[in-house]
Amino acid sequence: MSNAIESVDLSRRFRRLEAVEALNLQVPAGSVFGLVGPNGAGKTTTIKLLMNLVRPTLGSAVVLGTDSRRLTPRDLQRIGYVSENQRLPGWMTPARLLNYCRPFYPTWDEALCRKLQADLNLPSNARLRTLSRGTRMKTALLASLAYRPDLLMLDEPFSGLDPLVRDELIRALLELAAENDVRPLTVFVSSHDIEELERLADWIGFIDHGRLMFAEPVSSLLARFRRVDVIAADGVALRPATAPDWLPQGAAGRTIQFIDTNHAAPDAERRIASTWPDAEIRVSPLSLREIFVALVRRAS
């Protein structure tokens, strides 16, 4: 199986709102796929469609080789799910919750469970309702990782967490994902925390108004986005950046700035130089966060 997730024209309408529209998505098996987009772009609805928590209006999705609308308990034993709004039984302790979950999963790895419990500094005997939100999120993640799922779905897992808890969660995910020679783990994560995704993801998809704008390896995305500063000689007026794949960022004095979204193209530098033949051209890379901000500004 080359893809852990595939969707064809996957759509969901809520009355007049097209929350997800004609989503065609492929998530390679063994990848860490980050889904990003503005608030209300359709990230959570996408995850709910893939998990069969809501039914599609049109289209279909295949998750781990099974139609998402026909996921059985046996299929769900291979999938972990953690959401920022996940409700845990507050009267249970973390240890009691893990003991409750263990019999449902034939692949439960007790040695891994104990290692993660130690790595995440997770208490055993305090009731969940008395614990911080970060500790409850760590408990939910541990309960979803201990049975070594083939697919882990994470919906805004870092929202509102302090930097230390985020770091602990990411280290646990990276360590388990690195064991791909044992059992490949595919991670699908939606998040607003772009800095964390930059550490975690090797694929990125950008969704806006329910439509998937692109999905590609992070390395490819970082290669094709560049900030370009065009600096005019004294007394020379600069023409504006008007190419379809240039995102204007403003002008100041003798300088105009834009983002080239296709700088990996063979003729990218020639096109820029021929547009402003007498200007100084400065090209610099962008972080994933800077790319995200530029895309959201264009979408708004």
Side-chain angles (χ1 to χ4, degrees):
M1 181 176 55
S2 58
N3 291 320
I5 297 171
E6 295 183 4
S7 70
V8 177
D9 294 336
L10 189 66
S11 305
R12 174 66 196 203
R13 174 181 288 274
F14 296 99
R15 296 184 179 179
R16 295 184 179 180
L17 173 65
E18 195 75 43
V20 174
E21 184 177 358
L23 185 76
N24 292 291
L25 177 68
Q26 294 82 40
V27 177
S31 67
V32 180
F33 188 102
L35 185 66
V36 301
N39 287 331
K43 300 185 296 296
T44 293
T45 302
T46 296
I47 288 181
K48 289 183 175 180
L49 285 166
L50 296 173
M51 291 292 295
N52 198 29
L53 297 175
V54 298
R55 304 283 283 184
T57 306
L58 293 170
S60 63
V62 174
V63 177
L64 298 180
T66 300
D67 188 316
S68 64
R69 295 164 296 184
R70 296 177 174 83
L71 290 172
T72 66
R74 189 181 186 91
D75 295 315
L76 294 175
Q77 288 175 336
R78 303 170 57 203
I79 302 173
Y81 173 67
V82 179
S83 166
E84 65 170 331
N85 297 318
Q86 193 159 346
R87 297 178 63 183
L88 299 175
W91 58 273
M92 281 189 174
T93 65
R96 188 164 185 176
L97 177 64
L98 294 172
N99 288 335
Y100 173 80
C101 293
R102 186 180 295 110
F104 293 103
Y105 300 99
T107 57
W108 189 278
D109 186 333
E110 187 60 26
L112 174 64
C113 180
R114 295 187 181 189
K115 178 181 183 302
L116 289 173
Q117 191 167 1
D119 291 346
L120 294 171
N121 299 306
L122 197 64
S124 298
N125 298 321
R127 293 188 177 184
L128 287 166
R129 64 168 171 258
T130 69
L131 300 176
S132 67
R133 182 175 179 278
T135 303
R136 293 196 301 273
M137 287 296 293
K138 289 194 288 185
T139 303
L141 182 66
L142 172 54
S144 293
L145 288 176
Y147 53 92
R148 292 189 178 274
D150 296 318
L151 173 64
L152 181 63
M153 306 290 285
L154 303 175
D155 187 11
E156 295 290 353
F158 311 118
S159 179
L161 302 183
D162 66 60
L164 178 59
V165 174
R166 294 185 190 191
D167 187 66
E168 290 175 334
L169 292 177
I170 288 174
R171 280 193 292 109
L173 288 170
L174 289 174
E175 287 180 12
L176 201 58
E179 299 179 9
N180 275 356
D181 56 331
V182 180
R183 283 188 65 187
L185 170 64
T186 304
V187 181
F188 186 97
V189 51
S190 77
S191 178
H192 287 101
D193 294 287
I194 307 301
E195 291 87 352
E196 310 302 349
L197 280 184
E198 196 156 15
R199 296 171 54 194
L200 187 62
D202 49 26
W203 276 73
I204 287 289
F206 182 81
I207 189 171
D208 180 48
H209 292 94
R211 284 190 164 272
L212 185 69
M213 309 309 293
F214 62 79
E216 62 187 280
V218 171
S219 58
S220 167
L221 182 66
L222 294 176
R224 69 182 180 88
F225 274 74
R226 288 291 185 273
R227 179 185 294 109
V228 180
D229 291 286
V230 182
I231 305 169
D234 288 337
V236 177
L238 293 175
R239 68 178 66 181
T242 57
D245 46 9
W246 294 346
L247 306 181
Q249 299 295 294
R254 297 186 295 117
T255 302
I256 65 169
Q257 185 180 92
F258 66 93
I259 292 175
D260 185 0
T261 66
N262 195 25
H263 201 74
D267 65 340
E269 293 187 5
R270 180 189 61 77
R271 290 172 61 210
I272 295 171
S274 63
T275 303
W276 299 281
D278 300 318
E280 178 186 354
I281 308 296
R282 298 178 183 174
V283 178
S284 54
L286 294 168
S287 68
L288 191 59
R289 183 183 183 280
E290 290 171 319
I291 293 172
F292 174 77
V293 170
L295 291 172
V296 171
R297 283 178 177 167
R298 179 174 67 174
S300 61

